[in-house]
Amino acid sequence: MSRSTVDAILLLGPTACGKSALAMRLAREIALEIVSVDSAQVYRGMDIGTAKPSAAERALVPHHLIDLRDPSEPYSAADFVRDATSAIEQIRARGRLPLVVGGTMLYAKALREGLSALPSADREVRARIEARAREIGWPGLHAELARVDPTAAARLPPNDSQRIQRALEVFELTGVPLSQLQANPQRPLLALATIALIPPDRKELHRRIEHRFDAMLAAGFLDEVRALMARGDLNPDLPSMRSVGYRQVWQHLAQATPFAEFRSAAIAATRQLAKRQITWLRSMKDAVVVDPFEADAFERVKALVVERG
């Protein structure tokens, strides 16, 4: 990192690495506001399974981009870039530091590198794609995507429902393959510095993931999802309900799978999420890497934030 001041600092890391606690500790010593980069915390009523900051924490430190949408509504990387850019500009105008904290790496990448000019989500098109998926399955739709956008299909697993749906949606709305549109991103509007919390001790991260998931269960995670299911207007194919943890709880409650089997599957899915997040982080070559489990992690991060903020 050079010493020039940036518009905002990104504090990114895998799930359960301690990002939020570290950010709250920083806020006690630095005049900052937190901008969430979390694709699940944008949804109202999804609190326990997203590890959303508590009301007390949000009263102590202003948080942005939380509780923006109902779980039935879409929210995209383009929405995030627009909302985050606005929040960062307003925080700077108040003379405070915007600290962008979270683990949705697609959103972070979009903010850092810019976005292609993609169409907004279209409910009718998405509904048609979801109906088609119920007929032939997501692998079948992946095969259809391979015919119209082989480049996008080649980088997506056959069951990546959210991204297959988006690629097909973009093609239907524009007639142009998503991969072609993404080849020419717009330049980012903000100057950003990135701190990547990457724990080299994967076993410790896995231990923390398991501990946090059990804490979520004890806090009422199953009841939270039961309440969402009881609304009657949500389904497991919605982006909100495909979030890691929520997807597994929904399946467990809907299919009455054994609790031990469900718990193991949810923890395994969270570990896989963390692995993908770390892969994204390692691709950000300009990021300063800090081991969040080291004793001096807070002091290192604080020094970096003070230097650039």
Side-chain angles (χ1 to χ4, degrees), residues 248-263:
Q248 287 75 26
V249 173
W250 187 295
Q251 184 177 24
H252 169 60
L253 295 175
Q255 300 179 9
T257 55
F259 179 83
E261 178 183 316
F262 143 69
R263 178 181 175 276

Side-chain angles (χ1 to χ4, degrees), residues 208-227:
R208 293 185 184 214
I209 286 171
E210 182 173 357
H211 176 77
R212 190 174 77 160
F213 187 72
D214 285 339
M216 288 176 175
L217 292 174
F221 191 13
L222 295 182
D223 288 337
E224 180 173 87
V225 179
R226 283 193 186 98

Side-chain angles (χ1 to χ4, degrees), residues 15-203:
T15 185
C17 78
K19 300 179 297 292
S20 298
L22 198 156
M24 287 297 296
R25 187 176 172 189
L26 285 171
R28 290 196 288 269
E29 302 188 21
I30 300 170
L32 62 80
E33 299 183 24
I34 294 172
V35 180
S36 169
V37 51
D38 189 302
S39 61
Q41 289 187 0
V42 300
Y43 292 112
R44 295 185 289 272
M46 295 173 59
D47 303 330
I48 297 171
T50 65
K52 193 175 290 180
S54 67
E57 288 171 327
R58 292 163 71 179
L60 286 172
V61 182
H63 285 67
H64 304 266
L65 276 57
I66 291 175
D67 291 344
L68 298 181
R69 291 282 195 279
D70 183 84
S72 64
E73 299 171 337
Y75 192 77
S76 67
D79 293 327
F80 169 77
V81 170
R82 180 198 63 231
D83 294 341
T85 299
S86 175
I88 288 167
E89 291 173 347
Q90 292 174 33
I91 294 166
R92 275 299 187 191
R94 290 192 285 272
R96 299 170 71 85
L97 171 67
L99 186 66
V100 184
V101 182
T104 300
M105 299 305 168
L106 178 65
Y107 287 9
K109 177 180 170 65
L111 189 65
R112 282 167 42 90
E113 300 178 13
L115 270 174
S116 306
L118 300 178
S120 299
D122 186 293
R123 286 194 177 196
E124 292 185 6
V125 172
R126 289 194 169 194
R128 286 199 298 272
I129 294 170
E130 288 168 1
R132 180 75 172 148
R134 288 191 287 272
E135 293 176 7
I136 66 172
W138 288 106
L141 282 179
H142 184 268
E144 292 187 0
L145 177 63
R147 290 193 286 273
V148 299
D149 190 350
T151 301
R155 64 176 184 243
L156 295 177
N159 286 304
D160 191 340
S161 56
Q162 187 168 353
R163 290 181 175 83
I164 292 169
Q165 180 189 59
R166 179 57 174 159
L168 288 170
E169 176 189 37
V170 168
F171 184 78
E172 182 168 338
L173 291 171
T174 67
V176 180
L178 174 65
S179 58
Q180 183 177 329
L181 292 172
Q182 289 178 328
N184 298 295
Q186 300 171 346
R187 295 185 64 184
L189 301 176
L190 301 169
L192 304 168
T194 303
I195 301 169
L197 301 176
I198 303 180
D201 186 348
R202 201 65 62 87
K203 289 183 179 179

